Amino acid sequence: MAAQKINEAHEHMAKADKCLKTSLTKWKPDFDSAASEYAKAAVCFKNAKQFEQATDAYLKEAEYHTENKTLFHAAKAIEQAGMMMKEQKKMPEAIQLIEKACMMYMENGTPDTAAMALDRAGKLIEPLNLDKAVDLYQKAAGVFENEDRLRQAAELLGKASRLLVRVRRLDDAAVAIQKEKNMYKEIENYPMCFKKTTAQVLVHLHRADYVAADKCVRESYSLPGYSGSEDSVAMETLLQGYDEQDEDQVYRICNSPLLKYMDNDYAKLAISLRVPGGVSKKKVAAAAAAAGGASGAAAEEDDYAGGLC
């Protein structure tokens, strides 16, 4: 089966070469037909799992679509070449080709396709390089933002924000979450703004910046429905506990369902939050009770120190 597909691929490539030849009666190469034949060859190579040859065929297809001024089809072929690089475990080269395809989509006037391709590239590279995935998601968000598609832009920024938290780039995460929150506010998705406020508070407290965390909550009171909401009460209680160095209060809020069932990266921030110099009132009370018991026993011993008489 594989051998048959490889033979078919070579037949298509031979036809493509014929399309490119000129003669006395054919002055111009037929770039469109050549591109079509290379596309067929690429599919045959792919089905035969000859990914390196499939890559070359897709790049040839892209070359002749470019010659023919059909940039969208050229970009599609380059993106497919990138996917073939991925099959060869050559991820940096794969991402480079997909980014090149995105530039062509933009040039062609199809930014949505460019943004979606960047999103796919981010997913591909995420298991290997989180920083590069952040870059791709942010670029995709930027494309959607320029097109006034703020919901899609915010969703992609959300992916970037979570990864920034995961790699502990908390200063960058704080900036990204604020931008996300602004977008959700603009499209009047206030419940998402509430969630982003909670994420901001966790990030800022991990940055040991109580003032910034408090400011995020204060500013959120201008959002319809935030005052008195479950989110606002939880954040007020968390900040109070943090400010008063009350470990028990902070622990209770950080392990509440509201925070435990956030996106995994934020939930981890919650359960790992510690209060600098914090004191557990339960532990203090237990220690005091233990100390009181010990002193009582000592006093009792003193009473009988001289004997019963």
Side-chain angles (χ1 to χ4, degrees):
M1 180 66 178
Q4 183 186 340
K5 287 294 177 187
I6 292 168
N7 288 335
E8 279 182 43
H10 286 296
E11 285 171 16
H12 286 302
M13 289 171 75
K15 287 179 183 176
D17 288 339
K18 282 184 183 177
C19 295
L20 295 169
K21 286 178 181 173
T22 56
S23 65
L24 290 172
T25 56
K26 183 188 165 194
W27 293 2
K28 286 185 176 181
D30 184 353
F31 293 124
D32 187 44
S33 297
S36 177
E37 292 298 335
Y38 271 113
K40 291 172 186 173
V43 171
C44 289
F45 281 131
K46 181 169 76 171
N47 290 339
K49 301 197 182 303
Q50 301 298 304
F51 299 121
E52 189 173 343
Q53 288 170 289
T55 303
D56 293 339
Y58 277 125
L59 290 174
K60 281 287 186 186
E61 179 197 352
E63 180 185 336
Y64 296 123
H65 277 310
T66 304
E67 289 282 359
N68 207 37
K69 304 291 190 292
T70 50
L71 287 185
F72 182 84
H73 294 299
K76 274 286 180 194
I78 290 172
E79 191 180 349
Q80 283 299 315
M83 298 307 291
M84 294 302 97
M85 283 291 191
K86 173 223 165 196
E87 295 293 341
Q88 297 170 68
K89 306 287 189 277
K90 296 179 178 178
M91 288 305 296
E93 293 89 341
I95 299 305
Q96 198 172 11
L97 284 171
I98 296 172
E99 286 188 284
K100 183 179 178 182
C102 291
M103 294 297 291
M104 294 181 82
Y105 287 133
M106 293 293 289
E107 195 179 335
N108 182 65
T110 47
D112 284 10
T113 312
M116 288 187 283
L118 287 167
D119 182 19
R120 285 193 293 272
K123 287 174 189 167
L124 286 179
I125 201 70
E126 197 175 306
L128 302 173
N129 187 334
L130 291 177
D131 288 315
K132 183 61 180 175
V134 166
D135 177 54
L136 291 166
Y137 290 142
Q138 287 180 330
K139 282 180 179 174
V143 174
F144 276 131
E145 186 181 6
N146 289 339
E147 295 299 303
D148 285 327
R149 294 184 60 178
L150 295 186
R151 183 181 63 79
Q152 290 88 341
E155 285 172 2
L156 283 159
L157 266 182
K159 290 184 181 184
S161 301
R162 291 192 291 275
L163 294 187
L164 286 167
V165 166
R166 198 178 304 172
V167 296
R168 305 302 290 185
R169 288 169 55 187
L170 297 182
D171 290 350
D172 294 331
V175 173
I177 296 168
Q178 182 62 52
K179 192 169 184 183
E180 236 187 299
K181 185 174 165 182
N182 291 342
M183 287 181 181
Y184 281 121
K185 184 178 179 182
E186 198 166 332
I187 60 176
E188 299 182 353
N189 187 340
Y190 299 121
M192 282 302 291
C193 292
F194 302 172
K195 291 182 188 299
K196 295 306 156 188
T197 300
T198 301
Q200 283 180 307
V201 169
L202 292 171
V203 167
H204 285 312
L205 292 182
H206 271 273
R207 294 173 62 242
D209 192 342
Y210 174 87
V211 173
D214 186 62
K215 183 183 176 187
C216 288
V217 175
R218 300 278 157 261
E219 288 176 346
S220 293
Y221 279 114
S222 65
L223 298 169
Y226 187 70
S227 180
S229 68
E230 183 185 11
D231 304 79
S232 72
V233 171
M235 289 305 96
E236 285 283 2
T237 309
L238 176 61
L239 288 171
Q240 181 191 36
Y242 191 92
D243 189 39
E244 295 174 359
Q245 298 183 322
D246 184 344
E247 281 186 355
D248 299 324
Q249 187 162 311
V250 169
Y251 179 87
R252 190 173 68 254
I253 297 300
C254 286
N255 285 272
S256 66
L258 183 70
L259 272 67
K260 278 177 78 173
Y261 297 118
M262 292 179 76
D263 287 314
N264 199 37
D265 292 299
Y266 297 125
K268 285 181 179 178
L269 278 187
I271 60 176
S272 63
L273 184 63
R274 297 290 176 268
V275 182
V279 176
S280 170
K281 290 180 181 176
K282 288 179 184 175
K283 289 177 184 175
V284 169
S295 61
E300 192 174 331
E301 281 179 19
D302 287 343
D303 287 342
Y304 293 105
L308 291 171
C309 299

